[in-house]
Amino acid sequence: GLFKNNTFGADGRFNAQFRAELFNALNHVRFGYPNMSFGNPQFGVIASQGNTPRNVQLALKFIF
């Protein structure tokens, strides 16, 4: 995560904080387990992902 504080106002008593948080920022995939039902046409096929894709969260907070 990254954040930046920005003070403003007559004597700098107000603050605006910007935050950015990244989860799985490089977007590396972890594959799920393959289908283990022998005789099934889907045998050995990986049809799921074991982790979540890239998520980005942005926030802006004002402090008085």
Side-chain angles (χ1 to χ4, degrees), residues 7-42:
T7 58
F8 61 95
D11 55 354
R13 63 182 267 204
F14 299 113
N15 186 19
Q17 185 181 67
F18 177 73
R19 291 178 175 248
E21 297 177 352
L22 296 107
F23 304 98
N24 194 11
L26 300 177
N27 206 21
H28 290 145
V29 66
R30 271 190 2 217
F31 294 109
Y33 294 108
N35 189 342
M36 301 299 286
S37 301
F38 187 72
N40 188 342
Q42 295 293 321

Side-chain angles (χ1 to χ4, degrees), residues 1-2 5 7 9 11 19-20 25 33 40 42 47 51 55-56 62-63:
L2 303 168
N5 289 320
T7 58
D11 55 354
R19 291 178 175 248
Y33 294 108
N40 188 342
Q42 295 293 321
N51 62 346
N55 289 323
V56 177
F62 292 106
I63 302 170

